[in-house]
Amino acid sequence: NTIFFLLYLSSCSSLENQVSEINDPYEKSNRAFFKFNQEFDRYLLNPISKSYKNNVPKKIQKGVSNHLNWISIPNSIINSGLQLEGENFALSSMKFLLNSLTLGIYDLDENETKFHTLDYGSTLAKYNFSEGPFVVVPFLGPKTFRHFSGNIISFSTGNSKYFNEINNYKNNLIPLNIVDKRKIFSNVIDD
């Protein structure tokens, strides 16, 4: 239950510091999907994550986490450009290019290059698209409609053969990424 609350907090993009009234016209289905996600975590995701944490060597886990983070950097590069964030664009590009030498498995600058992770949801927020209603998505958790739309844009971008191959590769990594993130946040979630 805590995982979905944390995911909601991290997925909401807001340009204002004010808290707006929760727009939840789909409360009944949201509650059903929330319960489904809780059960999925309890009976499948959490046990798999614990097994991964306990049985895979720590160096391999670190390499997997590094690679998964590296493969997501182009999303920040693109959205930095769309948001006209020149410094973030340059820093994320440098980080990606440097760690390309190891396919991201080893972080060559040892996390010295700091940049903001940006996605299409934050780009839509930058251009004042409305948050829309609150929805709970099976497997993905709670999101505003704007952020969920950003996820759809992210999954559907790229028409060339090259981009399709990259997207297919990234899509094949989704289960591993979910297990890795569940492992990373397990202490927070369990608390």
Side-chain angles (χ1 to χ4, degrees), residues 62-100:
K62 181 66 175 162
V64 167
S65 292
N66 286 344
H67 180 72
L68 292 169
N69 288 332
W70 172 76
I71 199 80
S72 71
I73 293 175
N75 201 30
S76 286
I77 296 169
I78 292 167
N79 284 286
S80 294
L82 291 172
Q83 295 181 36
L84 306 176
E85 297 285 342
E87 182 179 352
N88 206 60
F89 179 85
L91 291 172
S92 55
S93 296
M94 287 187 299
K95 175 86 167 184
F96 182 76
L97 292 173
L98 177 64
N99 288 328
S100 293

Side-chain angles (χ1 to χ4, degrees), residues 115-155:
F115 64 92
H116 298 288
T117 302
L118 299 176
D119 60 15
Y120 289 100
S122 65
T123 298
L124 292 172
K126 170 91 174 186
Y127 292 102
N128 297 321
F129 281 81
S130 170
E131 279 188 333
F134 171 80
V135 293
V136 178
V137 183
F139 305 110
L140 298 178
K143 308 223 178 264
T144 63
F145 192 74
R146 175 178 64 206
H147 195 261
F148 182 58
S149 298
N151 290 145
I152 291 171
I153 293 168
S154 180
F155 285 122

Side-chain angles (χ1 to χ4, degrees), residues 167-179:
N167 284 337
N168 287 337
Y169 177 69
K170 285 171 62 176
N171 289 340
N172 289 330
L173 291 178
I174 288 173
L176 183 58
N177 196 8
I178 291 170
V179 170

Side-chain angles (χ1 to χ4, degrees), residues 6-119:
L6 291 172
L7 288 171
Y8 172 70
L9 288 178
S10 69
S11 68
C12 291
S13 300
S14 178
L15 297 175
E16 302 173 2
N17 291 332
Q18 300 175 354
V19 176
S20 61
E21 184 177 319
I22 296 175
N23 185 6
D24 191 6
Y26 308 113
E27 183 176 357
K28 187 175 181 180
S29 62
N30 283 343
R31 288 183 183 275
F33 288 134
F34 183 81
K35 183 175 171 108
F36 169 81
N37 287 342
Q38 279 185 314
E39 299 300 310
F40 174 75
D41 181 65
R42 179 179 298 132
Y43 294 112
L44 190 63
L45 184 55
N46 190 25
I48 291 171
S49 174
K50 285 182 179 177
S51 178
Y52 174 73
K53 182 178 181 179
N54 295 330
N55 296 311
V56 175
K58 301 292 183 218
K59 286 186 177 185
I60 293 176
Q61 289 180 38
K62 181 66 175 162
V64 167
S65 292
N66 286 344
H67 180 72
L68 292 169
N69 288 332
W70 172 76
I71 199 80
S72 71
I73 293 175
N75 201 30
S76 286
I77 296 169
I78 292 167
N79 284 286
S80 294
L82 291 172
Q83 295 181 36
L84 306 176
E85 297 285 342
E87 182 179 352
N88 206 60
F89 179 85
L91 291 172
S92 55
S93 296
M94 287 187 299
K95 175 86 167 184
F96 182 76
L97 292 173
L98 177 64
N99 288 328
S100 293
L101 297 171
T102 66
L103 297 177
I105 293 169
Y106 183 78
D107 189 356
L108 292 173
D109 77 345
E110 298 178 355
N111 215 18
E112 289 293 320
T113 304
K114 304 288 185 195
F115 64 92
H116 298 288
T117 302
L118 299 176
D119 60 15

